[in-house]
Amino acid sequence: MLKKHSATLHGHRTSFSLEDVFWEELKDIAAARAIPLARLIAEIDDARSADSNLSSALRVHVLAWVKAQREATQD
């Protein structure tokens, strides 16, 4: 299910929509890295290109993380 979420990034409130599975995976990534979820979202926001939206950048980050974890376990 697609849900709207909000976060404060660099002092500004922003919102984004994510499916539950991506939201849960983002929380797991933040926990695995031992950083707050807000910091992870800010890092992803800072790294995204100007022509992409935050929701897409978050999904791509989750996909890249999952693929990297899968590759690490295959070695």
Side-chain angles (χ1 to χ4, degrees):
M1 172 181 277
L2 190 68
K3 289 187 183 173
K4 198 145 192 111
H5 301 273
S6 59
T8 301
L9 305 175
H10 306 297
H12 297 95
R13 202 82 174 140
T14 190
S15 63
F16 49 90
S17 297
L18 282 179
E19 294 80 3
D20 291 338
V21 65
F22 286 103
W23 182 245
E24 292 304 318
E25 196 64 35
L26 277 174
K27 292 192 291 187
D28 290 346
I29 293 167
R33 292 185 51 201
I35 62 171
L37 180 58
R39 179 172 160 198
L40 175 62
I41 294 169
E43 286 178 5
I44 296 167
D45 184 50
D46 290 345
R48 73 183 168 102
S49 64
D51 63 343
S52 73
N53 66 48
L54 181 55
S55 297
S56 294
L58 293 168
R59 288 184 190 97
V60 169
H61 185 84
V62 166
L63 178 60
W65 175 272
V66 169
K67 287 177 78 172
Q69 296 303 306
R70 183 178 61 213
E71 289 173 7
T73 60
Q74 291 176 352
D75 291 340

